[in-house]
């Protein structure tokens, strides 16, 4: 069964770039306890497939986890073999999307333009990563959404600050990915927990206010 990326109050992706395999499960459990249900280990982290295997073994079944910075179909297959159920890319590579779909794991390709978005959709993606979000802004997302098919979900990633979440939600963001705002290798578990809780609260409060308007 293809696990779905959430698009409600828990639509946050924790990007654990640089996490070590021996620490991956402890960090992920702290993030999960704060309310984040999607976790990615970028493949430019130390021994990333070992970290993904650790997460697959130790995290609850309702945690969607897998690899980030996935560029090739071989990396999709290695993610699947390690137990990952998610692949996230910084770019739109149709073969990566098709291979993830074939293996029944969720895929979040990176896009910036309508051309890239429709290329990803044509390959089978329904969830898209607007990256780097800081380069484009909420108005760019709002314009993109006017031409994309219904049922397309966009996750801004890269440079989104918690205080800007309301503007992105108003523009139609389905969720967000957070890297250094949430995790760096030097952060303690307590600091990761605090940051995760702050992000979850910021998203929920922003949704509450948007719905009250």
């Amino acid at each position: 069964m293809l696990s779905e990326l959430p698009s409600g109050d828990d639509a946050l992706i924790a990007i654990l770039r640089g996490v070590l395999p021996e620490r991956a499960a402890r960090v992920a459990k702290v993030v999960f306890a704060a309310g984040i249900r999607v976790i990615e280990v970028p493949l430019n982290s130390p021994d990333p497939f070992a970290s993904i295997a650790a997460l697959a073994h130790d995290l609850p079944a309702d945690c969607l986890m897998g690899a980030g910075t996935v560029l090739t179909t071989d990396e999709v297959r290695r993610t699947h073999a390690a137990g990952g159920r998610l692949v996230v890319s910084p770019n739109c590579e149709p073969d990566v999307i098709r291979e993830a779909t074939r293996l029944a794991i969720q895929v979040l390709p990176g896009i910036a333009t309508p051309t890239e978005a429709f290329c990803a959709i044509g390959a089978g993606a329904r969830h898209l990563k607007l990256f780097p979000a800081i380069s484009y802004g909420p108005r760019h997302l709002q314009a993109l959404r006017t031409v994309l098919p219904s049922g397309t979900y966009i996750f801004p990633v890269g440079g989104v600050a918690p205080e800007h979440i309301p503007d992105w939600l108003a523009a139609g963001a389905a969720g967000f990915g957070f890297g250094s705002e949430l995790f760096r290798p030097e952060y303690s578990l307590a600091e990761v927990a605090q940051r995760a809780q702050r992000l979850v609260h910021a998203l929920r409060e922003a949704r509450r206010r948007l719905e009250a308007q």
Side-chain angles (χ1 to χ4, degrees):
M1 181 178 179
L2 187 64
S3 300
E4 286 289 336
L5 280 158
S7 57
D9 282 351
D10 55 353
L12 293 175
I13 303 170
I15 303 168
L16 306 185
R17 189 177 306 279
V19 71
L20 296 171
E22 59 269 25
R23 194 171 182 236
R26 283 178 291 156
V27 172
K29 286 179 179 178
V30 164
V31 168
F32 185 86
I36 298 177
R37 296 293 179 262
V38 186
I39 299 174
E40 111 182 38
V41 178
L43 294 186
N44 53 4
S45 302
D47 202 357
F49 296 108
S51 291
I52 292 167
L55 300 190
H57 182 268
D58 290 345
L59 291 180
D62 61 337
C63 181
L64 180 61
M65 59 81 210
T69 321
V70 176
L71 304 177
T72 68
T73 55
D74 179 65
E75 290 170 346
V76 176
R77 291 188 288 271
R78 292 185 68 185
T79 299
H80 181 260
R85 296 183 292 123
L86 168 72
V87 295
V88 183
S89 299
N91 63 330
C92 174
E93 174 50 66
D95 286 345
V96 166
I97 297 169
R98 295 187 188 103
E99 185 66 3
T101 302
R102 185 185 73 81
L103 292 172
I105 57 180
Q106 186 58 255
V107 60
L108 187 67
I111 64 96
T113 66
T115 298
E116 293 167 339
F118 279 104
C119 178
I121 292 166
R126 292 176 55 245
H127 299 81
L128 308 176
K129 166 184 168 179
L130 177 60
F131 179 80
I134 193 171
S135 299
Y136 299 97
R139 293 183 66 184
H140 180 77
L141 170 60
Q142 188 173 23
L144 270 178
R145 290 189 68 252
T146 63
V147 297
L148 295 182
S150 175
T152 303
Y153 302 92
I154 301 182
F155 286 64
V157 179
V160 177
E163 60 267 26
H164 298 149
I165 287 177
D167 294 335
W168 283 104
L169 285 182
F176 303 89
F178 287 100
S180 59
E181 184 70 39
L182 170 65
F183 173 80
R184 289 182 184 269
E186 63 267 25
Y187 291 167
S188 68
L189 290 180
E191 185 172 2
V192 173
Q194 183 181 55
R195 287 172 174 272
Q197 290 163 5
R198 184 164 63 243
L199 290 171
V200 169
H201 174 77
L203 176 60
R204 291 176 178 172
E205 182 64 17
R207 285 201 189 280
R208 185 189 67 78
R209 291 182 178 178
L210 185 63
E211 292 168 358
Q213 290 178 358

